[in-house]
C-alpha cells in the first residue's frame, strides 16, 4: 500500500477539511483574545463563555421569536441575536469586572475571569429556563442543565456534499465562510476606519493615544465588542455543526482558541486566524495519525493540551512574533 | 485615633443624656422579650415557643443585648475606664444596627416558615421593640475622643488569658454553629457573628487583638491547635459534623500547599488539584482494595511518602520546562496539565492504554487505614467520649496540617522566603542580584506538589473511592479561591478561606444549587473590593495597592512580618 | 570597616586587569546599540562611562552583567570568562545598580540588602525547615552584614523602612548597599546621581570614594561632567555605541570630539529624574 494511494489521500484530505472547519471555529474565537490582548495586555479568560452565550442567544432568538422554525431566513436573525447576547455580556463584563482592575496586579483580572466564567456558566445552567428566583418561564425555554438541541436551519445543514471520497458538511462551509467574511470585515474596519486606526494607536501606546485625544475607554469597549461579535457568530456555527449546545461548551473551545491566539502571536489579528487554522488541522491530523492505544478520540483532548503546553513553553511569542526582551 | 465630634453644642445637650436610659431600656426589653415565647409554632427555627426556655436564636438575642449593655456601661457608668480606650459609640452603632437586622430577619423567618404573621407571639414583638430602642439610642450616643487602643498593653498573663478565652469562644461557637441544623438558624448565627466582629472592629478591639496575637504567637498557635484538637470531643460521638470537618481539613491542607506556590512564590497554578489527585491515586492503587492495580503493599507511611514523591516528580516534570513561562501563560500551562492528568486517569482503563485506574469508575472500596491494631474505621472511646471514623481521620489530618504549617512558615521566614518575595517584586532585579530565580520557583512547585501528594494519600482512604471526576478544573479553582478569599500568603487566611468555602455549602443546603453561581460572584467581588483577602499578609496587601502611599506608611511597622 | 574582606583576599595575579571586556557588540535587529567596545578596569580604579542619551551605556552594562547576551565579544573577570548569566556574574564578583531604580519596593531596607546576600549563603529548604545550625548561623550573619552595609552607605537608621517609602536619594544608596551585599570585586553604577540635588551628588561621590577605598573597583555611568571628572581615574566616552575617546578626565574633557558629541546632540541634561529606558 503506497503512501499516495487513493484511500490514504482521501483520508488525508478529509482530515484537512475537518481540521480547517474546526480551525475556523477556533480562529473566530481566537480573534477575541487577541484584540483585547493587543490593547490591554489582558488575557480575557472568560471569552470562552462569550462564545457560549452567543450560542444561547441564537437559540433563544429562534425559540422565542420564530418558534424554532428552520427556514433559512431565520438564520440572520439568529446571528443578530447571538451578537446582541455576546456583545452585551462582553461589554458589561468589561465595564463592571475588568475596568476597575486596570491597574491591579495581573493576578487580579485572571482570578476575576475565572469568577466570571463560573458565574456565566451557572447563570445559564440555572436560569436559562426561568426568571431567577421564580419558576416563571414566559417563553417556555428548555432546561439548560443538559444539552439542548440547536435548530437545524435549512440549506446550511442537511445532507453533506460528497467530493470524491471526501465528505464536506454544509455547516463546515458555513463556518469557513463566516470566518472568511469576518476576517475581511475586520481587516477593513481596523485599517480603513477611524475607530480601527484608534485601536491600533492605543495598542501601540495607550498613554500617547490618550494625549492625542483618543478615548481609550471607548476603544477598549470596542475591542471587547469586536471579539464578542466573532465569538457570537462562532457560537451559531458550533450549534449548526454539533446539532446541540450546552453551558459547558465555552471552556474547552475557549482554551483551544486561546492556544490558537498564542500560536499566531497574541495581539496579532492575522496571527489569530492563522493560528486557529493551524491548530485545527493539527488536531484533525493527530486524531487520525497517532497510532495505537494513545490515539483516537479518547486522547484527542490530551494531545490538544500537550500542544497547548508545547506552544506556550517553546513558542510563547507565536509563529509570527519575535522574542521580547526585558530592558534593564 | 482621635475623633473629634463635629456636632454643635446644642445637640449635645439635647440628645446626649436621653441616649443612655433609652439604650438600657431597649436592651432590657430585648432580654425580656427573648425569655418569652417568640413563635406560636414550635416546629420552626428550633423551638422558640416556650417561655423561659430560650431557643438558640433567643440566646443569640440575649447575648447581643448583654454586649449592648456592656458598651452602654462603658460609655457612662461603672465600665468607663474601658470606654476611655475603646470607641464604644461607634461600636454600639454597629452592634445595634446588626441586632435590629437580626430581629427583623427573625420575624421574617418565623412568618415565612410558619406561614403568616399571626405566628409571632408577643415576646417576638417585645424583643423587636427592644432592638429598635437600642438602635435609636445608638444613633443618639455621641462619639468621643479615645486613646489609641492599638498601643494598649495588659500584663502578659492577662493577654494570654484573652487569647485563651478567644479560642474557647471559637471552639464553643463552632460547635454551636455546627449543631444548628436549621438553615435559617445558621444564617442568623452568621449574622450575629458578623455583627459582633464588626462591632469589635469599630471599637478598635480587633486591631488590639491583632497586636496581642502577634505578641504571643506561640501561645496563639498552641491554643489554636488545642481548640482544633478538642473539637471532636464536643460532638458527643456524632460523626456527621466530623465528616464535614475532615473534608474541610483535607481541603485546607491542599490549599495551604498551594499557598506556598501562589502566596509565597507568586506562581499561579490552576492545575494544582492534579497533585492531590496523584497522591490519591497512589494511595488508592497501593491500598488493599480489590480494585487496586499495584501489587506492592507497604505500610501506609511508605505509601504516603511514595504519594508525595510521585506528586513532587510530576511537579518537577511539569515545572522544569514551564516555569520559564511567565504569569498568565503559566496559569494556562498548569491548567492544561491539570486537564491532562484528569483525562489520563479517565483513559487508563485497559482499553485506551494500560489498566491503572479503572477509567471513569475509579478505584472503589478502599479500606480504612490501620496503624498496628488501630483501625481508622472503628469507634474508639477517649475520656468517655466515643470518637468515630471521621474523628480518627480528623486527628491524622490535623497532624498533617501542623506539618504543612511548619514547612510553610519556616520557608517563608528564611533566605528562601526572601528570595520568593524578591522574585514577586521584580524578577529581573532578583536575578541580577544573584537570586536563583528558576531554582526557587521549582522548589515552590515541588514542595507544594509534595505536600498535596501527602494529603492525597489520606484523602483516598477517607473518601473510600477515587475517581477522575473529583479532580476537575473547578476544584483547582476552589483551592485558589480559598487562598484569594482568606488571604494570600497567610496561614490563618487560608484556613478561614477553606472553612468558608467548604463549610458554608454543607450547612446551607437550601442554596446548594446556587453555590457555584455565588462562588463565581464572590471571586469577582473579592478582586474588586479586597484583592488581598480577608486576613491579608501585610506585604501582599501592599502589592495589591501599589498606589496607596498612606497604607504603605501605616503598615511599615508591621512589615517585618512573621506569618501566623 | 572593609566592605570586601573576602573579595580583596582573592586578588588576581598582578598584571591581569580585574575586568576585561573585549570587542563587545550588541545588536537589536538592525540597530547596533553597542559596537565593538573594549574596556578594562584594574583593581581599585574608578572608571567613568559617559556619552549622550541612547549611546548604549546601559546596554553595555547589561552585556557585562549577563542580562543581555552580547552578539559578539568576551567579558572576563580576573581572567575568567563570564557566561552571560546574571547569577553567575554576581557570583564571580560583579554587581550593579540600575538607572531606573529597581528595588524590591515592598521589602524593608534591611530585607533588600539581605536579598543581596542570597548568592553568598546556601541554606537549603531542609535546614530552613528544621532550623538547623547552618540556617541559624547564616541567618545571623546575613542580618549582621546587611546592617553593616546599611550603616556603610549611611542608612543605618532606616533599617525597617519600606523601600517604597524612602526618599529618592536614599533609594539610590539602598540599591548600592544591596549590590555591595553580594561581595563584589567590581561594582557597576548606572547613573547613581540622576535626579539628585548638588548636596546629594556630593554625598554620592563621597560614597563612591569610600567604596573604592574599601578595595573595590567602580565603573560609573554619568551625565554630570563635573561629577565624573573629579571622581574618575579614567573616562570612556561612548557615542552611538562606539568608543569615541578613552583617557584621563583631563584628556577627555578637552577633546573636541567629545564636546561636539554633546553639543551636537544637545543632551547634556543633568535633570532626568523620571528617566526610564
Ligand atoms: N532590549 C532592547 N531592544 C531594542 N533596542 C534596545 C534595547 N535596549 C536598548 N535598546 C536601544 O539601544 C540604544 C542604547 O540604549 P541605552 O543603552 O539605554 O542608552 P544609554 O546610553 O542612554 O544608557 C537605544 O537606542 C535603545 O533604544
Ligand atoms: Mg542608560
Amino acid at each position: 500500500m503506497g503512501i499516495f494511494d487513493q484511500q490514504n489521500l482521501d483520508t488525508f484530505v478529509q482530515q484537512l477539511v475537518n481540521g480547517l472547519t474546526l480551525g475556523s471555529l477556533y480562529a473566530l474565537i481566537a480573534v477575541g483574545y487577541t484584540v483585547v490582548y493587543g490593547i490591554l495586555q489582558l488575557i480575557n479568560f472568560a471569552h470562552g463563555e462569550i462564545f457560549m452565550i452567543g450560542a444561547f442567544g441564537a437559540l433563544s432568538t429562534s425559540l422565542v421569536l420564530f418558534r424554532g422554525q428552520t427556514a433559512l431566513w431565520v438564520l440572520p436573525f439568529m446571528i443578530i441575536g447571538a451578537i446582541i447576547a455576546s456583545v452585551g455580556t462582553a461589554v458589561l463584563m468589561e465595564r463592571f469586572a475588568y475596568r476597575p482592575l486596570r491597574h491591579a496586579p495581573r493576578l487580579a483580572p485572571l482570578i476575576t475571569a475565572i469568577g466570571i466564567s463560573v458565574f456565566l456558566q451557572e447563570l445559564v445552567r440555572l436560569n436559562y429556563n426561568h426568571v431567577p428566583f421564580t419558576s416563571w418561564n414566559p417563553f417556555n425555554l428548555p432546561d439548560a442543565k443538559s444539552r439542548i438541541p440547536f435548530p437545524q436551519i435549512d440549506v446550511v445543514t442537511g445532507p453533506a456534499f460528497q467530493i470524491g471520497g471526501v465528505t464536506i458538511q454544509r455547516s463546515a462551509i458555513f463556518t469557513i465562510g463566516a470566518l472568511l467574511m469576518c476576517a475581511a470585515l475586520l481587516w477593513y474596519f481596523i485599517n480603513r476606519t477611524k475607530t480601527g486606526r484608534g485601536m491600533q494607536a492605543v495598542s501601540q501606546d495607550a498613554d500617547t493615544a490618550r494625549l492625542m485625544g483618543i478615548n481609550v475607554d471607548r476603544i477598549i469597549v470596542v475591542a471587547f465588542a469586536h471579539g464578542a461579535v466573532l465569538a457570537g457568530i462562532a457560537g451559531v456555527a458550533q450549534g449548526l455543526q454539533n446539532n446541540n449546545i450546552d453551558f459547558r461548551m465555552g471552556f474547552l473551545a475557549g482554551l483551544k482558541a486561546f492556544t490558537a491566539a498564542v500560536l499566531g502571536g497574541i495581539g496579532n489579528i492575522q496571527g489569530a486566524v492563522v493560528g486557529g487554522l493551524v491548530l485545527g488541522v493539527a488536531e484533525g491530523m493527530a486524531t487520525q495519525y497517532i497510532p495505537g492505544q494513545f490515539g483516537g478520540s479518547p486522547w484527542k483532548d490530551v494531545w490538544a493540551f500537550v500542544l497547548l503546553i508545547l506552544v506556550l513553553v517553546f513558542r510563547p511569542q507565536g509563529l509570527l512574533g519575535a522574542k521580547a526582551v526585558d530592558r534593564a | 485615633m482621635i475623633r473629634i465630634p463635629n456636632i454643635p453644642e446644642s445637640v449635645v445637650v439635647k440628645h446626649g443624656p436621653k441616649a443612655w436610659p433609652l439604650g438600657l431600656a431597649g436592651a432590657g426589653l430585648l432580654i425580656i422579650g427573648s425569655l418569652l415565647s417568640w413563635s406560636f409554632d414550635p416546629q420552626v427555627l428550633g423551638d422558640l415557643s416556650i417561655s423561659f426556655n430560650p431557643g438558640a436564636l433567643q440566646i443569640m438575642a440575649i447575648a447581643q443585648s448583654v454586649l449592648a449593655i456592656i458598651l452602654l456601661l462603658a460609655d457612662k457608668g461603672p465600665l468607663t475606664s474601658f470606654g476611655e480606650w475603646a470607641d464604644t459609640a461607634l461600636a454600639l452603632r454597629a452592634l445595634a444596627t446588626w441586632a435590629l437586622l437580626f430581629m427583623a430577619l427573625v420575624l421574617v423567618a418565623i412568618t415565612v416558615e410558619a406561614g403568616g404573621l399571626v405566628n409571632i407571639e408577643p415576646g417576638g414583638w417585645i424583643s423587636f421593640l427592644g432592638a429598635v430602642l437600642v438602635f435609636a439610642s445608638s444613633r443618639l450616643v455621641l462619639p468621643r475622643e479615645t486613646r489609641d487602643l492599638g498601643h494598649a498593653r495588659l500584663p502578659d498573663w492577662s493577654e494570654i488569658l484573652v487569647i485563651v478565652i478567644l479560642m474557647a469562644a471559637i471552639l464553643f461557637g463552632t460547635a454551636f454553629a455546627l449543631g444548628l441544623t436549621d438553615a435559617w438558624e445558621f444564617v442568623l448565627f452568621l449574622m450575629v457573628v458578623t455583627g459582633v466582629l464588626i462591632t469589635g472592629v469599630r471599637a478598635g478591639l480587633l486591631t488590639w487583638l491583632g497586636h496581642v496575637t502577634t505578641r504571643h504567637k506561640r501561645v496563639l498557635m498552641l491554643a489554636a491547635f488545642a481548640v482544633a484538637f478538642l473539637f471532636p470531643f464536643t460532638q458527643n460521638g456524632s460523626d456527621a459534623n466530623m465528616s464535614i470537618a475532615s473534608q474541610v481539613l483535607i481541603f485546607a491542607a491542599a490549599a495551604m500547599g498551594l499557598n506556598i506556590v501562589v502566596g509565597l512564590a507568586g506562581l499561579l497554578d490552576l492545575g494544582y488539584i492534579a497533585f492531590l489527585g496523584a497522591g490519591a491515586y497512589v494511595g488508592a492503587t497501593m491500598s488493599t482494595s480489590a480494585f487496586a492495580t499495584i501489587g506492592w503493599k507497604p505500610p501506609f507511611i511508605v505509601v504516603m511518602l511514595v504519594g508525595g514523591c510521585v506528586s513532587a516528580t510530576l511537579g518537577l516534570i511539569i515545572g522544569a520546562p514551564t516555569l520559564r513561562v511567565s504569569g498568565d501563560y503559566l496559569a494556562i500551562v498548569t491548567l492544561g496539565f491539570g486537564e491532562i492528568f484528569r483525562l489520563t486517569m479517565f483513559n487508563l482503563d485497559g482499553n485506551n492504554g494500560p489498566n491503572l485506574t479503572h477509567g471513569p469508575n475509579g478505584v472503589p472500596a478502599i479500606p480504612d487505614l490501620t496503624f498496628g491494631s488501630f483501625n481508622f474505621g472503628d469507634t474508639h472511646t477517649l475520656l468517655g467520649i466515643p470518637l468515630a471514623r471521621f474523628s480518627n481521620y480528623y486527628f491524622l489530618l490535623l497532624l498533617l496540617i501542623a506539618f504543612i504549617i511548619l514547612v510553610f512558615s519556616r520557608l517563608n521566614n528564611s533566605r528562601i522566603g526572601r528570595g520568593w518575595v524578591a522574585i514577586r517584586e521584580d524578577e529581573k532585579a532578583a536575578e541580577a542580584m544573584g537570586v536563583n530565580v528558576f531554582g526557587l520557583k521549582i522548589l515552590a512547585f515541588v514542595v507544594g506538589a509534595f505536600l498535596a501528594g501527602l494529603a492525597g494519600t489520606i484523602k483516598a482512604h477517607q473518601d473510600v473511592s477515587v475517581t477522575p471526576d473529583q479532580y476537575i478544573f473547578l476544584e483547582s479553582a476552589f483551592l485558589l479561591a480559598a487562598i484569594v478569599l482568606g488571604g494570600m500568603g497567610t496561614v490563618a487566611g487560608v484556613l478561614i478561606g477553606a472553612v468558608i468555602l467548604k463549610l458554608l455549602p454543607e450547612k446551607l443546603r437550601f442554596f446548594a444549587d446556587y453555590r457555584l453561581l455565588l462562588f463565581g460572584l464572590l471571586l469577582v467581588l473579592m478582586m474588586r473590593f479586597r484583592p488581598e483577602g480577608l486576613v491579608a499578609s501585610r506585604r501582599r496587601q501592599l502589592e495589591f495597592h501599589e498606589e496607596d502611599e498612606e497604607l504603605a506608611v501605616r503598615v511599615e511597622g508591621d512589615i517585618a512580618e512573621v506569618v501566623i | 570597616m572593609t566592605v570586601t574582606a573576602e573579595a580583596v583576599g582573592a586578588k588576581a595575579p598582578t598584571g591581569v586587569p580585574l575586568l576585561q571586556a573585549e570587542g563587545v557588540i550588541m545588536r537589536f535587529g538592525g540597530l547596533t546599540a553597542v559596537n565593538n567596545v573594549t574596556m578594562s578596569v584594574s583593581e581599585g580604579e574608578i572608571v567613568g562611562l559617559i556619552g549622550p542619551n541612547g549611546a548604549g551605556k546601559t546596554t553595555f552594562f547589561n552585556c557585562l552583567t549577563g542580562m543581555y547576551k552580547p552578539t559578539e565579544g568576551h567579558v572576563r573577570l580576573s581572567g575568567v570568562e563570564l557566561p552571560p548569566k546574571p547569577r553567575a556574574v554576581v557570583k564571580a564578583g560583579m554587581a550593579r545598580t540600575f538607572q531606573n531604580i529597581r528595588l524590591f519596593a515592598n521589602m524593608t531596607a534591611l530585607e533588600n540588602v539581605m536579598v543581596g546576600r542570597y548568592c553568598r549563603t546556601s541554606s537549603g529548604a531542609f535546614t530552613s525547615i528544621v532550623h538547623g545550625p547552618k540556617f541559624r548561623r547564616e541567618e545571623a550573619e546575613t542580618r549582621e552584614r546587611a546592617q553593616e552595609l546599611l550603616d556603610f552607605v549611611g542608612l543605618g537608621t532606616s533599617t525597617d523602612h519600606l523601600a517604597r517609602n524612602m526618599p529618592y536619594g536614599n533609594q539610590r544608596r539602598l540599591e548600592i548597599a544591596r549590590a555591595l551585599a553580594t561581595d563584589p570585586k567590581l561594582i557597576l553604577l548606572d547613573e547613581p546621581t540622576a535626579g539628585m540635588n548638588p548636596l546629594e551628588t556630593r554625598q554620592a561621590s563621597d560614597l563612591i570614594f569610600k567604596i573604592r577605598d574599601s578595595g573595590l573597583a567602580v565603573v560609573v555611568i554619568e551625565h554630570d561632567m563635573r561629577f565624573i571628572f573629579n571622581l574618575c581615574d579614567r573616562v570612556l566616552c561612548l557615542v552611538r555605541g562606539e568608543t569615541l575617546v578613552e583617557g584621563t578626565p583631563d584628556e577627555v574633557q578637552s577633546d573636541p570630539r567629545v564636546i561636539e558629541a554633546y553639543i551636537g546632540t544637545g543632551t547634556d541634561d543633568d535633570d532626568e529624574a523620571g528617566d526610564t529606558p
Side-chain angles (χ1 to χ4, degrees), chain B residues 348-371:
Chain B
L348 293 180
D349 58 356
N351 294 323
N352 304 296
N355 184 11
L356 191 63
T357 64
H358 295 285
N361 301 325
V363 182
I366 302 167
D368 278 308
L369 288 173
T370 49
F371 284 144

Side-chain angles (χ1 to χ4, degrees), chain B residues 25-87:
Chain B
L29 272 186
L30 186 50
I31 294 183
I32 294 169
S34 306
L35 291 173
L36 300 174
S37 157
W38 277 3
S39 151
F40 185 73
D41 187 343
Q43 307 294 332
V44 299
L45 304 173
D47 187 352
L48 304 175
S49 64
I50 307 169
S51 293
F52 303 109
N53 182 13
L57 290 177
Q58 287 160 321
I59 293 175
M60 292 180 215
I62 294 172
Q64 292 180 80
S65 20
V66 170
L67 205 55
I69 292 174
I70 292 176
L71 287 176
L72 280 164
L73 293 184
D75 198 47
K76 192 159 82 184
L79 299 176
T80 34
S81 59
F82 169 63
E84 265 175 39
W85 292 93
D87 197 333

Side-chain angles (χ1 to χ4, degrees), chain A residues 41 43 45 96-97 100-101 103 105-108 110-112 114-116 118-119 122-123 125-127 130 132-133 145 251 255 258 262 266 293-294 298-299 301-302 305-306 308-309 312-314 316 326, chain B residues 262 268 270 318 321-322 325 328-329 331-333 335-337 339-340 343-344 347-348 350-354 428 473-474 477 480 484 488 513-514 516-517 519-521 523-524 527-528 531 540 543-544 547:
Chain A
Q41 276 74 52
I43 299 177
F45 286 114
F96 293 106
L101 301 181
H103 302 287
R106 304 193 71 161
L107 192 63
L110 193 66
I111 291 172
T112 298
I114 296 174
I116 298 175
V118 175
F119 178 79
E122 287 297 300
L123 197 67
R125 183 177 78 95
L126 296 170
N127 288 322
H130 59 86
F133 302 110
K145 290 199 171 74
F251 178 68
L255 269 178
F258 171 74
V262 176
I266 193 147
Q293 279 188 321
F294 293 100
W299 292 93
D301 288 339
V302 173
F305 282 118
V306 169
L308 168 95
I309 293 178
L312 288 178
V313 172
F314 294 106
D326 180 82
Chain B
V262 181
L268 194 51
L270 293 180
I318 185 69
T322 60
V325 173
D328 300 346
Y329 281 16
I332 301 289
V333 167
L335 194 162
F337 165 70
E339 286 298 293
I340 290 177
L343 291 166
T344 306
N347 283 341
L348 293 180
N351 294 323
N352 304 296
K428 280 285 164 207
F473 165 66
L474 204 58
L480 188 65
V484 169
M488 243 170 249
D513 240 10
Y514 286 87
L516 285 176
L517 190 83
F519 165 74
L521 202 59
L523 281 189
V524 176
M527 282 298 115
R528 172 78 177 79
R540 277 301 200 172
E543 287 168 23
F544 276 105
E547 271 133 50

Side-chain angles (χ1 to χ4, degrees), chain C residues 123-144:
Chain C
S123 302
F126 184 75
T127 178
S128 302
I129 291 170
V130 300
H131 274 192
K134 181 173 182 188
F135 172 83
R136 289 157 191 267
R137 178 168 42 77
E138 280 195 351
E139 197 71 1
E141 276 173 14
T142 302
R143 199 166 284 274
E144 192 185 334

